[in-house]
Amino acid sequence: MKLGKMRAVCITLSAFGLGLVTANSASAAYWSYGAYEGGGYGVWNYDPGPDSIGYGDAPGDAIAACDIASDGWGIEVRLDIGRDGDIDRKVSTRGHTADYCSGYVTGDIKEGTPVRVWVVKVSGSTDYHPVYKDGTA
């Protein structure tokens, strides 16, 4: 009998924990994606909400770049609205020393529009191994 009660308690607590994790992930209005081999990351804030990089509230349809390593490379984030191969917005940590996050570059994009967020290591005129993640506005 005790084993049955213990199992019921474990199942109930597990379900409650899963509900908390699901609720928290659904409320996120952004995602971030790391640069190739580390050193920094890009942020795509698709809806206005809490700011993941420390500037207070973040705007929607916005990108930001964060350089977290003193390795001689900056981070540039490029936004391709519509995934048509044209870069529509760009933000960079060029000219700043790490640990630094840029401000947001933003502008309204129609809901549901596909976007591609590129995260690129940069130094001078050199780009190093661009990586991307797809999302929607």
Side-chain angles (χ1 to χ4, degrees):
M1 189 62 118
K2 286 184 180 182
L3 185 60
K5 283 185 179 182
M6 189 67 128
R7 179 180 283 165
V9 168
C10 287
I11 291 171
T12 301
L13 288 175
S14 296
F16 179 72
L18 180 61
L20 284 177
V21 169
T22 304
N24 286 337
S25 64
S27 66
Y30 71 92
W31 48 255
S32 61
Y33 196 62
Y36 181 74
E37 295 180 341
Y41 58 95
V43 175
W44 165 241
N45 214 70
Y46 50 88
D47 285 331
D51 182 8
S52 65
I53 59 176
Y55 289 118
D57 288 333
D61 300 331
I63 55 173
C66 292
D67 183 357
I68 59 173
S70 296
D71 56 4
W73 292 95
I75 301 295
E76 186 169 276
V77 177
R78 303 168 185 165
L79 181 64
D80 176 359
I81 300 169
R83 294 187 209 147
D84 59 5
D86 293 328
I87 300 302
D88 301 288
R89 293 186 196 148
K90 200 185 302 191
V91 67
S92 176
T93 65
R94 290 177 198 265
H96 297 274
T97 57
D99 201 11
Y100 173 79
C101 288
S102 70
Y104 285 98
V105 173
T106 188
D108 194 36
I109 304 171
K110 183 180 176 188
E111 291 296 311
T113 300
V115 298
R116 177 165 288 159
V117 179
W118 291 90
V119 180
V120 186
K121 284 186 170 182
V122 293
S123 180
S125 61
T126 303
D127 290 4
Y128 179 68
H129 207 290
V131 294
Y132 68 87
K133 184 172 180 180
D134 289 337
T136 56

